[in-house]
Amino acid sequence: MPASEPVLMRGVITADEKRLSGRRSLHLAVLGAVSLVFLFLFVAYFLNIMTWSRAPDFGWGASNTLEGVTIVTVEGVAAESGLQVGDRIIGTNGVRADSLSELTVLADRSPGGENTYRVQRGGEELEITVPNIPLGFSKAFQKYGPTWLFSAVFFAFGSVIFFMKPAASASWSFLLAMFFTSIYIMFMFTSRLSPDWLGHVPTLGVAFVAAPIVHFFQVFPEEKAWLKSGRMLFIGAPYVVSLALFITMVT
């Protein structure tokens, strides 16, 4: 009888190992799915950078002030055409513009096109024409690329931690926190996104980033006692609140 005990113990251990292996495989499959979503957004954002590189570089930056739309930076073709810091733009292409948003809508963005700005400088009004010059990939990447790359670092860090211990609830919460943070960082600086629904991605990151943080503090370094009486309720509640917040923000 005693001789058979090691065999039984080996059988029990093997069954447990199979069960743990199955859970680990499932969790890693979920990691793969989340990684594919991130990779899709990562590629989509890079394609937008390529699109923005072909858009015109107007060569000036402006802000809405009490006096109107005032130029605060000038470079390249805009400086060569005669625009200066401090100029107040009051119209473009023959149409009056009272705000930066109106000016953006009225601007001609076609390749080879041009924009004629009516500006106030000192006590006189001038018309200055600036041709559209493509921004170029180098400038576009300098402007939008750093946050794009930084987002990959965040997500990779979350993935490595999850991979080390995929069955732990704390690993799940950390992975989700890094995922939502990374997509917010990726879309922190953008121009017009294509397709339009990508514009909701940073909103998704903002709405959901707090939920996995709350989740994390409930299970790290070990699960809190109150989780035993309603684990799904306490862990799921922050995600439900985040979903409601996201729906409110996009509608």
Side-chain angles (χ1 to χ4, degrees):
M1 189 70 174
S4 64
E5 289 182 0
V7 177
L8 292 175
M9 289 299 295
R10 285 198 297 271
V12 171
I13 293 172
T14 301
D16 288 343
E17 288 178 345
K18 287 183 177 180
R19 188 159 50 250
L20 290 173
S21 177
R23 289 181 59 188
R24 182 180 176 85
S25 298
L26 175 61
H27 293 166
L28 291 178
V30 174
L31 172 62
V34 174
S35 299
L36 285 176
V37 173
F38 177 82
L39 181 61
F40 173 79
L41 295 174
F42 194 69
V43 172
Y45 190 84
F46 180 78
L47 293 177
N48 273 273
I49 293 178
M50 296 292 292
T51 299
W52 299 331
S53 71
R54 296 188 292 270
D57 178 10
F58 296 120
W60 55 266
S63 62
N64 291 315
T65 65
L66 294 176
E67 292 76 24
V69 182
T70 303
I71 294 180
V72 294
T73 60
V74 180
E75 61 181 11
V77 66
E80 295 170 2
S81 299
L83 283 178
Q84 297 179 11
V85 172
D87 286 349
R88 186 164 73 89
I89 303 178
I90 59 176
T92 184
N93 301 324
V95 182
R96 182 174 179 83
D98 296 317
S99 68
L100 187 57
S101 59
E102 290 181 2
L103 190 63
T104 302
V105 171
L106 294 170
D108 180 358
R109 299 174 180 273
S110 60
E114 61 183 23
N115 289 284
T116 299
Y117 303 103
R118 189 165 188 82
V119 304
Q120 288 183 344
R121 181 186 300 164
E124 60 179 338
E125 292 187 0
L126 307 170
E127 286 196 346
I128 298 175
T129 299
V130 181
N132 289 344
I133 304 297
L135 180 63
F137 181 77
S138 178
K139 282 189 175 181
F141 196 81
Q142 288 176 21
K143 186 174 184 179
Y144 304 109
T147 51
W148 175 71
L149 293 174
F150 194 44
S151 70
V153 174
F154 258 71
F155 184 72
F157 182 55
S159 299
V160 169
I161 297 299
F162 182 87
F163 186 81
M164 291 170 63
K165 201 170 183 180
S169 185
S171 297
W172 278 94
S173 59
F174 190 78
L175 172 66
L176 292 175
M178 291 297 99
F179 171 73
F180 289 117
T181 301
S182 66
I183 62 175
Y184 171 72
I185 291 173
M186 187 189 306
F187 288 81
M188 187 178 293
F189 300 109
T190 67
S191 185
R192 183 173 180 177
L193 290 161
S194 179
D196 293 338
W197 63 262
L198 282 176
H200 296 315
V201 173
T203 306
L204 180 72
V206 170
F208 273 87
V209 71
I213 294 176
V214 175
H215 178 182
F216 181 80
F217 283 111
Q218 291 183 88
V219 298
F220 184 84
E222 59 183 18
E223 290 192 355
K224 303 301 184 285
W226 67 72
L227 290 179
K228 296 178 181 179
S229 59
R231 192 174 191 279
M232 294 305 297
L233 174 63
F234 287 111
I235 289 180
Y239 294 96
V240 173
V241 173
S242 291
L243 177 60
L245 177 62
F246 173 68
I247 293 173
T248 301
M249 294 171 72
V250 298
T251 56

